[in-house]
Amino acid sequence: MIQGITIYELLTVTSILFFIGIYGFITRKNLISILISVELILNASVINFVIINKYLYPDVLQGVVFSIFIIAVAAAETALAVSIIINLYRQISSVEVKDIETMKY
Amino acid sequence: MNYTYILLILLIPLAVFLLLGLFNKKIKPAISGYIGVFGLLTTTVFSFYTAFQYFFVAGKVDGAFPVLGQKTVWMNFTESLHIDMGFLIDPISVMMLIVVSTISLMVHIYSRGYMKGDEGYTKFFAFLSLFTFSMYGLVLATNLFQIYIFWELVGVSSYLLIGYYYTKESAVAAAKKAFIVTRFADLGFLIGILIVGYYTGTYDFETLNNPEGSPILNWAATSFMGLSVLTWGLILIFIGGAGKSAMFPLHIWLPDAMEGPTPVSALIHAATMVVAGVFLVARLFPMFYFVEDGFALQIVAFVGAFSSLFAAIIALTQTDIKRVLAFSTMSQLGYMMLALGVSGYDGHDGLGYMASMFHLFTHAMFKALLFLCAGSVIHAIHSNYLKDMGGLRKYMPITNITFLVAALAISGVPPFAGFWSKDEILAAAFEHNKLLYAVGIIVAGLTAFYIFRIYFGIFWGKDRQYEHTPKESPISMTFPLIILAILSATVGFIPFPDFISPDRMGFEAHLNVPLALTAVIVGFLGILLAWIFYKKETDLATKVTQQLGVFYTWTFNKFYFDELYLYITKNILFKGVATSAAWFDRNVVDATINAIGNSTVGVSKKIKGLQSGRVQDYALAFVTGVVVLALVFIYIWTI
Amino acid sequence: MERIIFYFLALLIIIFAIASVSSRKMLRSVIYLLFVLCSIAGVYFLIDYNFLAAIQLTIYAGGIIVLIIFSVLLVHHIEMQLEIAKLSRKIITGLACLLGLAVFLVTLYSHEFNVVGTAIPTEVSEIGTLLLSYEAGGFILPFEVVSVLLLAAMIGAIVIAKGTILSESNKKTV
């Protein structure tokens, strides 16, 4: 644990990061920007796991290992997302959100 | 004696109707004719068998003919008030079975020849069977509602048959008129039924007609505006009967109904349907007699007498032979109502009732015969009007003789059937009310005159040159004429009083010779007058017409009643009531429904933006929802 | 001392995150993300989870950021200004997020966490052993599954992104 820092402050930071990610996800109009916001959200949750592992259960390592898995899955997901964006770009020559609104009323 | 086979009498015509109606185009006309005739022959045999069993084999039980029948509960209004379906056998229903079967059978056989070559031949026989089924149902009905159901069915069949030549505008208009006028009368009928049912607690005829039963004993229980409610109910029921039997002022549909084919006129508008009103009053006769000491019965008598006179006067001047016969029917129906109106109940006092039913029976025979002969003449000449006819006795001998028999019967010349029944009516009227007797005698004279007017006009008089020489009708048409002529001559000798009387016990009747003689003399006077005017070709008739001037015009135009009704309907009902109702329907009712529909569409347009297709919007909704739920579950609704 | 470093890092995280989400240029947004990720690695170092910090830097900062930059270069004019959302949308989202944050924080701060004060140093070998152990509490199965997942992701990425030319030639041969 970090000397002098309570768990509350850390969790505050992660919460703020999480909601910034959500804000970005809903507000941005570019597909890659949305991807970046998703990365922010994922990172926030990773820090959460790690903090709780370190502060509340310092003798076990489940949090860390799980974080490794989260990072691995995030990497895979980002790779696939990028490939989909490339494919979509090839079809409609745009990565704007407003051009992919076809499944609507 | 198990009378369940009577259901077959009802069901065979219905089956024929369904068969011919559903397979209209697939059945060859000749086959359908045979099917119709055969079906009716079967039911006629059953009817005669029933009559034989009921009157002769089973006979009287405890001095009176029993009221038999079977019924099942069909629909319950309350615990005690329910509508049944079933059949009722008593003297008048058995008698009516015979009348309806015989006339219907004769008309079926006749139609095979008359309607030959017509396009809707199968349809015609289907409708005839439907009508016969409805009429059987009407006479066998066990309660007021069942009779009302078949009443309406008879009205529908009449509409279908009058409007049979549906391409002719006048026929369509006549059919509508008949249906609407009788429907209007049936409104009164229905209200009367409901009143009677509500205040007596039953619709069943047996219970209603029982002189010691609670409906009749408690007739004074509730009263309304000075009369018992039951009297009002009976008057309303009589209005329904008056509509169907073409009593004044609901008579306007009967002359127009002659637009239908002549066999239809013979069956429906002479012998069977129009007597439904008389039958209804006869069916409820104990109620009519006992409630309020026969107040409703007085009304029946006077309406009948007036209609009788009214129609007879109009019939004097008509030139269309079918119209003459139509007004003659109305006049004779007036006789029947008059006879019912002057009747008593016990024993010999029931003379009027018996006379009315007797006259119904004989009238059916000779009026149907008159119509069928007229049809035979019209079929040969292709015209309905007297001015196109004359001297036909040379060309159509059988029609000549049978028409003469019928004319003698209706004029009351012995020994033909009309003499016996008319005499009984006049005897009953004489005992009860001299004014009604006077009306009856005058009408008898007028009847003889106008019938022989058309007889001489058709078969004697000027010998016209016809373009196509008229020939006698084929055997399929003359056979029923001969049968009906024989019946018109002989049925007068049936001892009706032994069988038909209000208390079902029968009584001894004897001939009142002075009255009979008076009636016969008046009849002969009428015939003589007609002989003078019409047998040879003279212009005596034209001179008298000119002398009578205005009076003649009024009579010829049926006292302008049709015009009056048309004026009322057009100006008051259509312009006043109907247009405002239509406006209301279009602008208020439709507008409401349209507003509901439009508001749904409007709301839908507003909220379809929720399905925007943008994942971010969905995510926003998702996040908001989660946050709200978290708020609610953690802080507001602590479990 | 560590407190100051931590507050500094936290400040970096938040500022760069906000900048990343609201920047109007694509590449800048990616770079700000890079800074966020590095700051998070710094936090891991502070916590004494060195291995995790290394993984964070390698995979996230090294791999994912590069991936995103490549995709940005492939689909964009770098100088192009990005569109921003309508004001109403921003306000609604901002309000929702603030509300959510409030709920989070209130819940957090009202909960008693049983903080264990002792600092136990962790060895990388423990992480390794835990990853590959078969006993209860071992992560061998998720480890293998993740490897399969990465394989699937690779194949999937190749298939989706390879384009029509190769797939048509495949059709002709089959």
Side-chain angles (χ1 to χ4, degrees), chain A residues 1-6 55, chain C residues 1-4 6 46 117-119:
Chain A
M1 56 176 284
I2 309 174
Q3 289 294 351
I5 306 289
T6 58
Y55 273 73
Chain C
M1 183 60 196
E2 288 172 341
R3 293 186 63 178
I4 300 173
F6 171 72
L46 266 183
T118 55

Side-chain angles (χ1 to χ4, degrees), chain C residues 14 17-18 26 39 45 50 57 68 75 83 85 93 99 102 106 112 120 127 143 148 150 156 160 173:
Chain C
I14 293 176
I18 294 177
M26 195 69 242
S39 308
F45 276 124
N50 307 320
L57 281 173
I68 295 179
V75 304
E83 283 178 47
T93 322
L99 184 64
V106 171
E112 297 284 334
I120 301 175
I127 296 177
F143 184 71
V148 173
L150 289 172
I160 293 173
T173 55

Side-chain angles (χ1 to χ4, degrees), chain A residues 19 22 24-29 34 97 100-105, chain B residues 608-621 623 627:
Chain A
F19 277 102
I22 288 184
F25 180 87
I26 297 177
T27 313
R28 296 291 254 168
K29 293 200 160 218
I34 295 177
V97 161
I100 57 171
E101 283 176 359
T102 49
M103 281 180 64
K104 63 179 182 180
Y105 64 84
Chain B
K608 72 179 175 182
L610 279 177
Q611 293 286 329
S612 61
R614 295 192 285 265
V615 178
Q616 295 169 312
D617 293 348
Y618 301 157
L620 176 59
V623 167
V627 167

Side-chain angles (χ1 to χ4, degrees), chain A residues 50-65:
Chain A
V50 173
I51 296 294
I52 291 186
N53 185 8
K54 186 67 179 183
Y55 273 73
L56 300 181
Y57 306 98
D59 48 337
V60 294
L61 281 172
Q62 264 86 335
V64 174
V65 172

Side-chain angles (χ1 to χ4, degrees), chain A residues 1-91 93-99 101, chain C residues 2-3 6-7 10 13-14 17-26 29-30 33 36-37 40 43-44 46-49 51-52 55-56 59-60 64 67-68 70-72 74-76 80 82-86 89-90 93-94 96-98 100-101 104-105 108-123 126-127 130-131 137 139 142-143 146 149-150 152-153 156-164:
Chain A
M1 56 176 284
I2 309 174
Q3 289 294 351
I5 306 289
T6 58
I7 189 172
Y8 293 102
E9 294 155 20
L10 279 158
L11 289 177
T12 313
V13 171
T14 60
S15 308
I16 295 176
L17 186 60
F18 181 77
F19 277 102
I20 291 174
I22 288 184
Y23 175 83
F25 180 87
I26 297 177
T27 313
R28 296 291 254 168
K29 293 200 160 218
N30 193 304
L31 281 175
I32 299 178
S33 306
I34 295 177
L35 189 57
I36 291 171
S37 310
V38 172
E39 292 305 320
L40 285 175
I41 296 172
L42 280 170
N43 265 291
S45 64
V46 170
I47 304 181
N48 254 350
F49 272 103
V50 173
I51 296 294
I52 291 186
N53 185 8
K54 186 67 179 183
Y55 273 73
L56 300 181
Y57 306 98
D59 48 337
V60 294
L61 281 172
Q62 264 86 335
V64 174
V65 172
F66 204 72
S67 306
I68 295 178
F69 287 130
I70 296 179
I71 293 175
V73 171
E77 164 232 325
T78 306
L80 279 169
V82 166
S83 72
I84 291 176
I85 291 174
I86 304 284
N87 204 4
L88 189 66
Y89 179 74
R90 234 186 256 134
Q91 304 285 345
S93 301
S94 162
V95 284
E96 300 293 316
V97 161
K98 67 175 187 287
D99 295 324
E101 283 176 359
Chain C
E2 288 172 341
R3 293 186 63 178
F6 171 72
Y7 284 133
I13 289 176
I14 293 176
I18 294 177
S20 171
V21 191
S22 55
S23 164
R24 296 199 66 178
K25 296 256 179 95
M26 195 69 242
S29 175
V30 180
L33 180 67
V36 169
L37 294 172
I40 292 178
V43 171
Y44 290 159
L46 266 183
I47 281 188
D48 217 9
Y49 280 139
F51 182 61
L52 194 57
I55 289 185
Q56 170 87 356
I59 298 181
Y60 257 119
I64 289 181
L67 196 55
I68 295 179
F70 272 133
S71 77
V72 166
L74 276 173
V75 304
H76 266 127
M80 194 170 73
L82 292 174
E83 283 178 47
I84 51 171
K86 290 188 300 203
R89 192 186 185 78
K90 282 208 261 192
T93 322
C97 290
L98 281 173
L101 188 60
F104 260 50
L105 292 178
L108 277 175
Y109 276 93
S110 57
H111 189 265
E112 297 284 334
F113 285 103
N114 313 325
V115 180
V116 176
T118 55
I120 301 175
T122 56
E123 297 286 320
E126 286 175 25
I127 296 177
L130 196 55
L131 267 179
F139 286 92
F143 184 71
V146 162
L149 171 72
L150 289 172
I158 293 171
V159 167
I160 293 173
K162 77 179 171 177
T164 51

Side-chain angles (χ1 to χ4, degrees), chain B residues 7 24 39 86 97 109 136 162 210 351 359 401 469 492 502 541 610 634:
Chain B
L7 282 175
N24 192 348
L97 275 183
I109 299 176
Y136 281 140
I162 296 175
N210 189 353
L351 182 62
H359 198 63
I401 301 290
T469 327
L610 279 177
I634 296 174

